[in-house]
Amino acid sequence: MPFDPNNIMQDRITDIGPPKYDKSFPPFIKQNYGKWKYHEILEPGVLVHVSETGAEVFTVRVGTCRLVSVDLVRDVCDIADKYCSGYVRWTTRNNIEFMLADKAKLQPLIADLRSRGNWFPIGGTGASITNIVHTQGWVHCHTPAIDASGVVKAVMDELFEYFGSMKLPAQVRIALACCLNMCGAVHCSDIAILGVHRKPPFVEADRVEKVCEIPLVIAACPLAAIKPKKVGDHKAVEINEKRCMFCGNCYTMCPALPIADQDGDGIALWVGGKVSNSRTAPTFSKLAVPYIPNEPPRWPTTVNDIKKIVEAYASGGRRYERIGEWIERIGWERFFERTGLEFRHEHIDDYRLAMTTWRTTTQFKF
Amino acid sequence: MPFDPNNIMQDRITDIGPPKYDKSFPPFIKQNYGKWKYHEILEPGVLVHVSETGAEVFTVRVGTCRLVSVDLVRDVCDIADKYCSGYVRWTTRNNIEFMLADKAKLQPLIADLRSRGNWFPIGGTGASITNIVHTQGWVHCHTPAIDASGVVKAVMDELFEYFGSMKLPAQVRIALACCLNMCGAVHCSDIAILGVHRKPPFVEADRVEKVCEIPLVIAACPLAAIKPKKVGDHKAVEINEKRCMFCGNCYTMCPALPIADQDGDGIALWVGGKVSNSRTAPTFSKLAVPYIPNEPPRWPTTVNDIKKIVEAYASGGRRYERIGEWIERIGWERFFERTGLEFRHEHIDDYRLAMTTWRTTTQFKF
Amino acid sequence: MALKHKTPMLDELEKGPWPSFVSDIKRVAARKPMCEDLLGQLELSYEQKEGHWKHGGIVGVFGYGGGVIGRYSDRPDLFPNVAHFHTMRVNQPASKFYTTAMLRQLCDLWEKRGSGLLNLHGSTGDAVLLGTTTDQLEPIFYELTHDMGMDLGGSGSNLRTPSGCVGRARCEWSCLDTQDIIYDCTMKYQDELHRPAFPYKYKFKCSGCPNDCVAAIARSDCAIIGTWRDKIRIDQDAVRAYVGGELVTNGGAHGTDKRVLDIQAEVINLCPTKCMEFDGKNLKIWDEDCTRCMHCINVMPRALRPGTDVGATILCGAKAPILEGAQLASVVIPFIKMEPPYEEFHEFVEKLWDWWMENGKNRERSGELIQRLGLNSLLQACDLTPDPRMIKTPRYNPYIFYDPADVPGGWEHDPVAFRKRHQA
Amino acid sequence: MALKHKTPMLDELEKGPWPSFVSDIKRVAARKPMCEDLLGQLELSYEQKEGHWKHGGIVGVFGYGGGVIGRYSDRPDLFPNVAHFHTMRVNQPASKFYTTAMLRQLCDLWEKRGSGLLNLHGSTGDAVLLGTTTDQLEPIFYELTHDMGMDLGGSGSNLRTPSGCVGRARCEWSCLDTQDIIYDCTMKYQDELHRPAFPYKYKFKCSGCPNDCVAAIARSDCAIIGTWRDKIRIDQDAVRAYVGGELVTNGGAHGTDKRVLDIQAEVINLCPTKCMEFDGKNLKIWDEDCTRCMHCINVMPRALRPGTDVGATILCGAKAPILEGAQLASVVIPFIKMEPPYEEFHEFVEKLWDWWMENGKNRERSGELIQRLGLNSLLQACDLTPDPRMIKTPRYNPYIFYDPADVPGGWEHDPVAFRKRHQA
Ligand code: SRM
Ligand code: SRM
Ligand code: SRM
Ligand code: SRM
Ligand code: SF4
Ligand code: SF4
Ligand code: SF4
Ligand code: SF4
Ligand code: SF4
Ligand code: SF4
Ligand code: SF4
Ligand code: SF4
């Protein structure tokens, strides 16, 4: 029975959850589930996994925008139908994986993908720069300091050679978040692009009581910079601007405290985080560049600073060494020298755990 | 002119500071000042330093109680007069150093020292356990949770073989502080013995206003556990016992808040701190045993737990590896296994920087 | 193809080798005014360097407290077709395998009832349908559930859509049935997922091994990460083959050519615990010292494999910075067998939630509560025993909250007796 | 020798191989009732497991705000001779070299006017005279200054007695004249040492090299630690002699026998920066990577020596836990030449003190103020430039206090223009 707008409870189904995973496993996956023995990357973006049963599965990984249209998804379906028995998957970093068991179809699939202009670049495996994990930006969110998709496009264009090759010392994982909410793993990425505000919010005193719950707004500020204040007849709030560190959390709680600002907003770059437990423990990304203005449409300074970091790492890092491991080895003093980035007061932490980041040893390099 | 109690300003001399250092340098030190080329430990406690001039200075280091009598100092003077041209020095860890330039006097000096019973044990150099840095305890201070000199004596008796030998993997520096004020380098020692309280102070409500400045008392509590409270006619304070972590700082500010208690007080043991920048950076001592009751006169449990730690380290540490470096290598899980010490809730930090001490990786040993 | 708004800045983003979202949107914009206006508004944002969406707006489907994010343009005067532009979070199948049939059906639905734009996938893992109007929410939900057997994911102060790595479906290292674990907790906790009852959001993520390909340790309140308790399995012949240059090292991740593996430099020296030795013929691993970091296995996938006594390490409390600063997850259960019906795990989770719901403030993540009340408070609430595996280092600060139960006589003082012993 | 009080517990501490403070005190107690009562009171403490001194009590010598710690028994009824038992802190000569003449004079003075017991030395470095009565304070001070040329050390909220390692007097590694530096700041800041003007105590300590034999980095508000900017001096012959087993490694610290040095295992692999290589004949050090940790020099004192372009690293803020938790000192000046008249250093110190006196709360250590206001605040106050050598790692939290001066238009908003661009 079709949907009846006048009776939305009719036949209502809820709480069914997602389709069970194995409904969309290709047969060769189902058969070899849990039996995989080893894998090998045959060329950048192309993997084979070999099962204990002797079966092989070939995977071709392609980059995509995370923001896709139904047209693109239909193209993907066409390709998957033609070569992959009608199955396809997305990775945890928004790449598409075409899998097939029949080796004969591998080269035709690759050729087909290559024939489609810049829609389906092959790569993102091994010691490469894979797809940038990112967020909404100006396309959908209400709190961004920067765009997401556009910055990602500009950066990936510049670093494209590293997507389709595996010549870096190790994986470089880049992430972007358009505000301090950090919807993604920006806080633990080799390179992180973060949208930042630099102006305290302003208070629309006549709107606050209408659209916000004042106690929640006050509680939202990590630095207790917000106090209740009566303005004329209105119950409103006051912001102690000197205490503000521009997190935007008060705006999340209250639309009458706009924080976005064309002159204030921009990008901070962070480096050296990682997630895997391989060799070294997971670690946070650290500040590399405190602020770069928004430069749409192609954010040249941002792109250029990232390039500097990648190139310094590409030439100085040792095999298996993630960016953070490389910096740990050479020291932060050398990182700033080799990238040519400026060390400024913003790099020195002054928040709650600040003292754990100061140098409490005479060990450093001149 | 002698001191005249009725005219204390007469001839008053102030601000002269200490005697200039070189007034008490022996001639062979003055001559070779800044010219030393290398040193060598000839036997435990006996060093030679060789100068660019070819001169040599021999040093015999002896352990002492830090709490000494004029009789002992006079004995020291006798020895120094006889062998060391009338000069002597104390080390930063309260050992005495007899220095001489004339090698012929070295063996006689050593023999003399050895002939004096247990007053002047020779040792404390190199990979040994040198003198325990300690504080006042029940001998002089008003805030101790434990005695100092007695505990030190009991521990050094037990570890004596390590004072006069150099067979440990590296230096083991032990320190004792009788309360959380930590008058010493207890917070950065290989092994630290710390006096702790476990009962919140009690309030002598009728004395508080007489002997304390209430605002200062309130400000003294790191956890804001103290509030003003009127008791009968008296301005006094109230302690939120659940918040108290027994630091004793309020007692420092106010004698009407006694915290010492025979059942509450005792010893906590800490391990793995260091000060030198050699190989690894200076680091804090970490909790090994949260609490051992006061067991005068010879504190057997404390002595025994320290012995366990030293023996586990002696058999497991590698050359040059300080206790903290050894634990870092084997892991805390192994430290507790190998020493047989119990891991308890107190070991898990719950103060301001607590989250920086939790394990944020899957890397650990089963 | 003349679109309604000029977009000279966005057009710059059609250049270059990486796929262009602008080109992609443009082809749909040709037939969908919503996309036309979206481009127009985005161009305005590029000009003004400020976003043009109003603050939030609570919309949703009946009976659910999450799954839809309301969004309205702040220039409906200029861009009326994105006056409403809500997203719907569709719970993806675990580890994101799809049949083309499912995808085509989703596209058709979204072509008809929404913008035709999606995020594949959202950072939490959902298949995000990007941009529709309020009146379409119920019909879409109806068709999703009835026609496609799909449901919404989480948003708001509830369980968020769980997500996991590809695991045993296509990875030789997985110590867990990641899909099944994710499916299990998604299904078991449907109510928590759709109806906000928590102080704030709560996320599960599951990786099959410590490589953590779903970044669970950084992004989930409860990270379930596969591991093993026994020994790394070694094929000594394959080790020799790597050393002899007969195999491709690191599964080709650093170049697909065969080359001699310098096992000392590339494996043994990089082992964080230095628990390996190679005598020229055999590789010896002192497994009791191994911390299962995966590095040696990563480098020699044909020679080394995780052990067979597998299970998970549970780490809790990861989150982004707001409010109290970013956190990585901390070990809470060093090892737990994760086998259906996962009862032990469910019990743990439910105890943890009870503790959080009882003690958590509004908008306080579970990780922040752990910070505020201490790891011990969580352990107690969940009947877990303190273990050195939960910490990097024991406390170094001496501010210990001793338990009065351990003190003879507790915290009682006898002031009179005290002053008998001590004059004031 | 029958003393006034029975001390069965203390008597237990006369046994064993380590020197016994009890035996030592007993021999003085035979002639000094103060020591007799001290033993009695200590025995009582051992019985009751509680100390028996009253809380503080401000006593001192005229014109000084420190140097004397008042102490009174809380059982003067039982131990009248320690009813007063004050200590006097006597400023030691730098690095604690004494002539026996000085010591004997001090003993005579103390025998006459005090308990005859001393601490050699106090943790801060003073020669501590332990136990006297109020009426003796002025005479002692008079005799100290007049007859012995000695002065009191610090206590209270003032500069504390500075202290340093043996340095160039008897150590080959010292990059500084530690004694002279300590003497200089002791003399220059006599007023600060004797007259409390600070929010709380302030300590200088000076070590000649990064081995830090006076524990400056852990115990001083301002640690002056010697270092060098050029290259480690290498005597390649001596290196070969170590490797050949002709010399005693580590100056005998691990055994006084000659033995072959496994230079790879014992030196090169333990070098924290791995900046050394030995080709069997020559040792190469990439000094630009060396962090001057001293390890290689410690192990091969006859082959390696610090460079000759010497100076100090200044680290600030170390302290014990009260109030905000223990701190190690943080690098504030990576390198400073420390040559008389030390003007640059004095300027730095005075700026720092001004900043601390202006901003510090009562009983707030300078290290706590750095914590509270941030390292940048200190740097600014002292005209120092931020440098990566001051930090272990740049910030990882994104809560940055941007400077309005860097923002075009500062923090001004134009709400009207904003609402023209964005409808509410
Ligand atoms: C497909 C995917 C899992 C999924 O469920 O989708 C995946 C698949 C594989 N990962 Fe991964 N990883 C995937 C995201 C991740 C992530 C998560 C992330 O980046 O957000 C991580 C953590 C990254 C980090 O530390 O910041 C990750 C850390 C690893 C590592 C550890 C790398 C390291 O040394 O730190 C390995 C081991 C290796 O490559 O040697 C690994 C290895 C592998 C292997 C070789 C596992 C296997 O045997 O099949 C797979 C192919 C790797 C390749 O691409 O070269 N995978 N892998 C994800 C692909 C993302 C993409 O499209 O680019
Ligand atoms: C005499 C004294 C300096 C003084 O001004 O009084 C001193 C003297 C020497 N120290 Fe020290 N250190 C002295 C306290 C310290 C301290 C401070 C402390 O323990 O409170 C430290 C820091 C300890 C720590 O890290 O916790 C210290 C860490 C070192 C080190 C680094 C050890 C390491 O590897 O961590 C060395 C180098 C070595 O021994 O290889 C060293 C080396 C030396 C040398 C070899 C320097 C030299 O060439 O003359 C001296 C003889 C060492 C020996 O005893 O074996 N000295 N040394 C101090 C003797 C204390 C005592 O009586 O036991
Ligand atoms: C859509 C998505 C970003 C994306 O483009 O992928 C997203 C979008 C928003 N997030 Fe997020 N978060 C998304 C994944 C995340 C993640 C990543 C993850 O789940 O693995 C994080 C970091 C991990 C974590 O949970 O801590 C994340 C941390 C936040 C936070 C900060 C929470 C914190 O405790 O620090 C906020 C702020 C808040 O909740 O008020 C937030 C809030 C928001 C809001 C609802 C904005 C707001 O202030 O209310 C965003 C709505 C955007 C929009 O218009 O659609 N979002 N958010 C992701 C969800 C898609 C999906 O369901 O798959
Ligand atoms: C005598 C001495 C201990 C000893 O036996 O050697 C000592 C004894 C006292 N210290 Fe101390 N401190 C002594 C060196 C230290 C050191 C070590 C150092 O200077 O290198 C420290 C740790 C380093 C530091 O400064 O942080 C130290 C950290 C404290 C603290 C905690 C300060 C903090 O900021 O955390 C207090 C508490 C206070 O000031 O209220 C304190 C307070 C005290 C008081 C005054 C007790 C009090 O609560 O008022 C003690 C008087 C004891 C007495 O009856 O004589 N003492 N005190 C040391 C001074 C002797 C000297 O002049 O040579
Ligand atoms: S990072 Fe901020 S601006 Fe970007 S999607 Fe998340 S909440 Fe929105
Ligand atoms: S932006 Fe953040 S710090 Fe500033 S007032 Fe708002 S909540 Fe507080
Ligand atoms: S550690 Fe505590 S009890 Fe001991 S001397 Fe220092 S202040 Fe007094
Ligand atoms: S002992 Fe410390 S924590 Fe307890 S009330 Fe006193 S100052 Fe506060
Ligand atoms: S986390 Fe481990 S099991 Fe899962 S895909 Fe990555 S490597 Fe494979
Ligand atoms: S898994 Fe890691 S810790 Fe274990 S043996 Fe391999 S490299 Fe070493
Ligand atoms: S700190 Fe350095 S210079 Fe000073 S005594 Fe120790 S080793 Fe010698
Ligand atoms: S001083 Fe330390 S860092 Fe420098 S070469 Fe020697 S061991 Fe390496």
Side-chain angles (χ1 to χ4, degrees), chain D residues 331-363:
Chain D
V331 176
V332 162
I333 304 183
F335 189 84
I336 181 173
K337 279 279 173 194
M338 285 297 282
E339 281 159 4
Y342 309 109
E343 276 171 1
E344 194 187 340
F345 179 68
H346 296 155
E347 273 169 36
F348 160 71
V349 166
E350 288 158 28
K351 284 179 196 161
L352 188 151
W353 284 347
D354 283 346
W355 170 78
W356 180 41
M357 289 191 281
E358 193 166 313
N359 297 287
K361 301 189 221 169
N362 177 41
R363 287 187 91 227

Side-chain angles (χ1 to χ4, degrees), chain D residues 228 232 271-273 275-276 285 290-297:
Chain D
W228 64 96
I232 291 179
C271 167
T273 60
C275 66
M276 320 177 86
I285 300 181
C290 166
T291 52
R292 305 169 311 289
C293 83
M294 293 294 299
H295 176 71
C296 57
I297 299 175

Side-chain angles (χ1 to χ4, degrees), chain A residues 286 332 347-349 356-358, chain D residues 391-396:
Chain A
K286 287 103 190 168
W332 284 99
H347 289 102
I348 302 180
D349 198 356
T356 65
T357 70
W358 301 336
Chain D
I391 52 154
K392 255 191 253 231
T393 162
R395 66 163 64 241
Y396 51 88

Side-chain angles (χ1 to χ4, degrees), chain B residues 197 199-201 217-218 220-226 238-241 243-251 257 259, chain C residues 399 401, chain D residues 322-323:
Chain B
H197 304 289
K199 282 191 179 189
V217 180
I218 291 168
C221 181
L223 288 176
I226 307 182
E238 175 180 48
I239 295 176
N240 179 342
E241 299 196 330
R243 281 212 180 168
C244 175
M245 45 58 184
F246 324 101
C247 71
N249 200 39
C250 53
Y251 177 68
L257 302 176
I259 186 166
Chain C
Y399 291 170
F401 293 93
Chain D
I322 308 294
L323 217 67

Side-chain angles (χ1 to χ4, degrees), chain A residues 1-3 8-9 11-18 20-21 24-25 29 33-34 36-42 49 52 59 65-75 77-78 80-81 86-90 92 94 97 99 118-119 121 126-127 131 136 138-142 147 149-150 153 156-157 160 166 169 180-185 187-188 216 220 249 251-253 255 261-262 275-279 282 284 294 296-299 319-320 352, chain C residues 9 12-13 15-19 21 24 27-28 31 42 45-46 48-51 53-56 62 64 71 85 87 91-92 95-100 103-104 107-108 111 116-123 130 138-139 141-142 145-146 149-151 168-173 177 179-180 183 186-187 190 194-195 210-213 215 218 248 250-254 256 259 266 272 293 295 298-299 302 305 319-324 326 328 362-363:
Chain A
M1 214 185 310
F3 177 69
I8 66 165
M9 295 312 285
D11 279 340
R12 194 169 187 83
I13 304 180
T14 68
D15 297 84
I16 59 170
K20 184 142 189 261
Y21 51 89
S24 37
F25 279 171
I29 293 292
Y33 186 89
W36 301 107
K37 228 174 122 185
Y38 65 88
H39 76 280
E40 204 165 300
I41 303 173
L42 301 173
H49 282 77
E52 278 162 0
T59 303
C65 301
R66 192 191 64 146
L67 168 50
V68 292
S69 75
V70 290
D71 289 12
L72 188 114
V73 177
R74 284 170 182 143
D75 288 346
C77 290
D78 290 344
D81 283 341
Y87 297 90
V88 65
R89 81 173 284 263
W90 269 258
T92 60
N94 310 319
E97 291 187 336
M99 280 164 284
N118 69 353
W119 290 106
N131 212 340
Q136 298 294 345
W138 294 331
V139 168
H140 197 267
C141 196
H142 58 171
D147 188 35
S149 311
K153 165 73 175 148
M156 282 308 282
D157 277 346
F160 190 70
M166 302 187 294
L180 266 61
N181 284 342
M182 292 199 188
C183 301
H187 58 304
C188 298
L216 291 186
N249 200 39
Y251 178 69
T252 296
M253 299 308 288
D261 183 283
Q262 44 199 1
V275 162
S276 82
N277 292 277
S278 188
R279 298 171 308 283
F284 292 118
N294 265 323
R298 296 200 63 102
W299 281 268
R319 188 181 283 150
Y320 307 113
R352 304 227 165 116
Chain C
M9 293 183 95
E12 289 297 313
L13 292 172
K15 299 169 186 166
W18 187 251
F21 70 101
D24 196 15
R27 56 179 173 170
V28 193
R31 62 183 190 271
L42 190 59
S45 294
Y46 272 52
Q48 300 186 334
K49 304 184 203 168
E50 282 168 0
W53 300 107
K54 281 193 193 168
H55 191 287
F62 185 84
Y64 277 16
R71 194 60 75 227
F85 197 69
T87 58
N91 196 330
Q92 83 290 359
S95 79
K96 300 168 189 157
F97 280 84
Y98 292 91
T99 62
T100 52
L103 288 173
R104 288 188 198 276
C107 288
D108 293 347
E111 172 103 39
L117 303 178
L118 309 83
N119 284 144
L120 291 175
H121 291 79
S123 290
L130 204 64
E138 286 295 348
F141 179 68
Y142 186 93
T145 46
H146 283 77
M150 295 189 100
D151 199 346
R168 284 176 172 155
R170 207 208 48 210
C171 178
E172 66 269 31
W173 295 325
D177 282 319
Q179 288 88 359
D180 199 58
Y183 187 69
T186 311
M187 297 310 287
Q190 276 290 301
H194 296 305
R195 290 164 203 95
N211 281 330
D212 196 1
C213 294
V248 177
N250 206 162
H254 292 85
T256 54
R259 62 173 183 84
E266 298 187 37
C293 84
H295 175 71
N298 292 343
V299 175
R302 289 174 76 156
R305 309 174 73 180
K319 57 175 294 293
I322 310 293
L323 219 66
E324 295 292 334
L328 283 156
N362 178 42
R363 286 188 90 226

